[in-house]
Amino acid sequence: MTRPFSSLSQLQSQLKDRSISATELTQLYLDRIEQLNPILNCYITVDEEHALERARAADQQLARGSGGPLTGLPISQKDIFCIKDTTTTAGSKMLANFRPPYSATCSTKLEQAGAITLGKTNMDEFAMGSSNETSFFGPVKNPWDLLRIPGGSSGGSAAAVAAGLCAASTGTDTGGSIRQPAAMCGLTGLKPTYGRISRWGMIAFASSLDQAGPMTRTAQDAALLLEHMAGYDPRDATSLDEPIPKYSQELSQPLSGLKIGVCRQFFSEGLDNAVETVIREAFKIFEQLGATLVDIELPNTPLSVSAYYVIAPAECSANLSRYDGVRFGHRCSDPKDLQDLYQRSRGEGFGNEVKKRILVGTFALSAGYYDAFYRRAQQVRRLIKNDFVEAFDHVDLIIGPTAPTPAFKIGEKVDNPVDMYLQDIFTISANLAGLPAMSIPAGQVEGLPVGLQLIGNYLQEGTLLRAGHQFQQATDWHQLTPDIEL
Ligand code: GLN
């Protein structure tokens, strides 16, 4: 019964040698979803019919020896990616009945490469959160401990992959939402360079920070998915027109000569001691693999959470103004007048975290406060970016912990927003600077996975994936699976 926990590359060869068919594989995951989703709540929508139809088509292609690089591989997609005619909610009541007339570029690209979408995964409302507790569709359980959160906002994707309810998934990361849930569920999660993957058709939270990426069992799988998610898209003005390297063919290039920066600011107060021990142990593996560790400073990174909680709400207040109950989104019943329509539609459609951020963002952008908050936060953002530019003159990668603690209990931090926001203290700076960053499983603390973060220079996803892959050749943390069975 290793199949639900097999990597994409293992499944790829099993499909190719016909030891399993795409239909059997798809059915296997659909059965697990039926049995385990009521416990985990990681899927919002499952499209069984569509998945099986695509699986049958995949089998025909495989039999002919044709098909794309991902043909027959069943994946899930975060419910923030629009998929034509498929309910796409972004975890919100506001979009509970939204069926987009188009698909997100990166979802289309994955399907064109042959991947089969099983369904859409649960997430924090509009990707705002670190625990999946802000979803209108209820919290997701961490498969490693059902009393704990899976991380957020891509917690549904993380739980689905970790529990073997799909072979891989997609996520989005605005401040850590791919990396932190990957860390909490024992997965590999990659946030690429800003602009590497098109944002077209991805429901916007904070447009200057949002970036899609793969959530997988291995770095090798992340390389495979990234090759098919990345690329220039004329429909996204911030999309990068850069060649896409063959990431999966460069994974074995030796790490000797690689300089890895260890940043003092990532070992700050608030970092759990046991997590720190795991991370420092992992450093030794990189040394054994031939890399050299160098101490570095990123002096402005401690300001990243404060800057983020001005910039992200400011952008979200603008992006979410479109949900007015008129053009699309939830509409209240029997409005008295236009004002009442707006107020009640938005009041009923959005949850508390989203409302709080719209209020904060509107305030930060208002005349008289713009300079004191928004402009200031942008200036801090530049300083954070400059720190990285300076650091990458001396090193190829920067490593440290992904999150300060392992997965916490459901409900534990809901009344303590600052503590919740500090979950992303090590991840946010990469979003502010637009840099690629990845989390890989590096150990466990009391049976819960711990993630190690690697941050790379612009467009150096290949270096991240290579380092991650070789770490995974030398360790087996990524092969551990939670004890959740039918
Ligand atoms: N946890 C952060 C927030 O709540 C980041 C979310 C994300 O990356 N989408 O905003």
Side-chain angles (χ1 to χ4, degrees), residues 75-81 104 106-107 110 121-123 127 152-158 161 168-182 187-192 197-199 202-203 209-216 225-226 229 431:
I75 62 166
S76 61
Q77 304 227 23
K78 186 177 182 178
D79 207 16
I80 201 165
F81 295 99
C106 86
S107 306
L110 286 170
T121 54
N122 202 346
M123 54 179 282
S153 64
S154 315
S157 298
V161 181
S169 193
T170 56
T172 61
D173 191 311
T174 304
S177 278
I178 288 177
R179 291 161 285 160
Q180 185 255 17
L187 302 177
T188 301
L190 170 68
K191 177 201 95 71
I197 295 175
S198 169
R199 285 185 296 112
M202 196 174 106
I203 293 170
L209 302 159
D210 297 344
Q211 182 58 205
M215 300 181 73
T216 54
L225 285 193
L226 182 63
M229 294 170 81
N431 300 77

Side-chain angles (χ1 to χ4, degrees), residues 125 134 347 349-359 421:
E125 185 175 10
T134 73
F350 290 135
N352 285 343
E353 182 65 26
V354 171
K355 284 180 190 162
K356 183 166 73 186
R357 298 207 193 186
I358 293 173
L359 290 173
Y421 292 174

Side-chain angles (χ1 to χ4, degrees), residues 159-471:
V161 181
L165 273 58
C166 57
S169 193
T170 56
T172 61
D173 191 311
T174 304
S177 278
I178 288 177
R179 291 161 285 160
Q180 185 255 17
M184 310 237 139
C185 291
L187 302 177
T188 301
L190 170 68
K191 177 201 95 71
T193 307
Y194 180 75
R196 180 78 281 197
I197 295 175
S198 169
R199 285 185 296 112
W200 196 82
M202 196 174 106
I203 293 170
F205 161 14
S207 306
S208 77
L209 302 159
D210 297 344
Q211 182 58 205
M215 300 181 73
T216 54
R217 301 195 163 280
T218 64
Q220 188 177 14
D221 284 1
L224 183 65
L225 285 193
L226 182 63
E227 280 168 14
H228 301 287
M229 294 170 81
Y232 175 63
D233 180 3
R235 292 189 287 198
D236 171 1
T238 57
S239 162
L240 294 172
D241 192 1
E242 295 286 340
I244 307 163
K246 282 261 158 240
Y247 301 113
S248 40
Q249 286 168 23
E250 293 164 8
L251 295 170
S252 302
Q253 278 174 27
L255 299 190
S256 50
L258 204 71
K259 278 207 185 142
I260 302 186
V262 176
C263 166
R264 187 169 60 83
Q265 285 78 10
F266 288 160
F267 291 87
S268 55
E269 211 184 307
L271 175 62
D272 182 286
N273 285 338
V275 171
E276 175 165 356
T277 308
V278 165
I279 298 301
R280 293 205 184 272
E281 276 303 306
F283 288 173
K284 295 183 193 154
I285 308 274
F286 286 104
E287 285 183 313
Q288 286 158 18
L289 289 166
T292 315
L293 300 191
V294 190
D295 285 328
I296 60 158
E297 301 270 335
L298 295 167
N300 292 293
T301 45
L303 302 173
S304 61
V305 175
S306 318
Y308 174 88
Y309 277 101
V310 173
I311 294 167
E315 294 187 18
C316 108
S317 72
N319 275 327
L320 273 56
S321 66
R322 73 191 65 176
Y323 303 107
D324 57 5
V326 177
R327 287 164 298 174
F328 53 105
H330 169 79
R331 181 183 295 188
C332 69
S333 55
D334 300 326
K336 276 203 314 280
D337 53 28
L338 187 62
Q339 193 61 30
D340 186 43
L341 168 76
Y342 287 155
Q343 281 180 351
R344 280 201 291 125
S345 297
R346 287 169 71 79
E348 292 166 12
F350 290 135
N352 285 343
E353 182 65 26
V354 171
K355 284 180 190 162
K356 183 166 73 186
R357 298 207 193 186
I358 293 173
L359 290 173
V360 169
T362 309
F363 179 78
L365 288 175
S366 58
Y369 293 103
Y370 181 95
D371 284 327
F373 294 107
Y374 186 70
R375 188 187 305 278
R376 194 112 183 103
Q378 292 287 26
Q379 288 167 336
V380 171
R381 181 178 191 171
R382 175 51 65 109
L383 295 177
I384 290 167
K385 180 188 164 178
N386 289 350
D387 282 354
F388 279 112
V389 170
E390 153 86 8
F392 282 120
D393 277 346
H394 311 287
V395 296
D396 304 292
L397 282 178
I398 297 170
I399 53 174
T402 304
T405 63
F408 48 90
K409 294 245 169 72
I410 293 175
E412 189 181 320
K413 294 192 199 290
V414 279
D415 295 325
N416 190 343
V418 173
D419 232 27
M420 185 75 91
Y421 292 174
L422 287 173
Q423 271 298 305
D424 293 319
I425 187 157
F426 307 130
T427 48
I428 280 176
S429 53
N431 300 77
L432 290 170
L435 292 164
M438 181 166 86
S439 180
I440 53 172
Q444 290 202 339
V445 169
E446 290 171 16
L448 296 170
V450 170
L452 171 113
Q453 178 176 234
L454 303 111
I455 306 176
N457 205 349
Y458 295 103
L459 291 170
Q460 296 306 307
E461 285 81 5
T463 314
L464 291 178
L465 290 162
R466 185 156 66 96
H469 175 67
Q470 296 193 32
F471 183 85

Side-chain angles (χ1 to χ4, degrees), residues 30 46-56 118:
L30 288 171
V46 180
D47 195 346
E48 187 167 337
E49 214 176 298
H50 172 80
L52 287 171
E53 198 181 300
R54 282 192 49 88
R56 283 190 289 271
L118 298 164

